[in-house]
Amino acid sequence: MHLIPGLTTEPFEVLWALLSLPPDQLLPATGLLAAFVIVCELVRVLLGSELTRSVLAHVTICLLTFPAQSIVLAIVLVHAARSYPGRGPLNLAIAAGLYVVWYLTGEATRLVRPINEGADLGFMTVGALITFPAGVLAALVYG
């Protein structure tokens, strides 16, 4: 399918396939998700440091504090459970590992900006309440 002449949807299809956490590409898929979580944290700190009076930056910071990561991980867990039934516990373990990466990245941002709040466990807990129920339900439904 061509959206714009000369461009196709193939890159998005490849990305969507990778986000299904395929068994033969588990490391690249997990690395992609870890990179996403890390970039979200770093952009959040960058915007908070540089654009302190921007409303758009503030809204972006709020979205990067927890909803972006937790919703993406919830979608990935459902997509992975649907694509590869029976791997729910492994997918949940990967998501838990990504939450550890998220926490460590948030704490590491204090090295750059000591007054930064670092990893916010309250917001991460709210994020976990989005991610893990979706993942557990998908694991139960898709076996």
Side-chain angles (χ1 to χ4, degrees):
M1 171 184 227
H2 293 281
L3 297 175
I4 299 172
L7 298 177
T8 68
T9 59
E10 185 178 0
F12 300 106
E13 293 166 7
V14 170
L15 177 64
W16 187 243
L18 190 60
L19 291 178
S20 70
L21 303 176
D24 60 332
Q25 295 182 338
L26 200 53
L27 189 59
T30 305
L32 174 68
L33 289 169
F36 170 73
V37 168
I38 290 168
V39 167
C40 284
E41 282 297 300
L42 295 178
V43 169
R44 181 178 68 84
V45 171
L46 170 77
L47 291 175
S49 301
E50 298 299 321
L51 300 173
T52 56
R53 297 175 89 51
S54 168
V55 173
L56 181 59
H58 180 73
V59 170
T60 304
I61 289 167
C62 290
L63 290 173
L64 293 176
T65 299
F66 82 90
Q69 295 99 312
S70 57
I71 291 170
V72 166
L73 289 177
I75 291 168
V76 165
L77 287 175
V78 172
H79 179 48
R82 185 173 172 267
S83 298
Y84 298 98
R87 294 187 49 218
L90 175 63
N91 296 340
L92 289 167
I94 290 169
L98 290 167
Y99 267 79
V100 171
V101 169
W102 183 359
Y103 175 79
L104 293 175
T105 303
E107 287 301 305
T109 60
R110 291 178 189 227
L111 297 172
V112 176
R113 188 172 183 238
I115 62 169
N116 182 44
E117 64 192 24
D120 189 323
L121 289 175
F123 281 122
M124 289 182 72
T125 302
V126 173
L129 291 173
I130 294 170
T131 301
F132 291 103
V136 169
L137 186 61
L140 292 173
V141 169
Y142 295 109

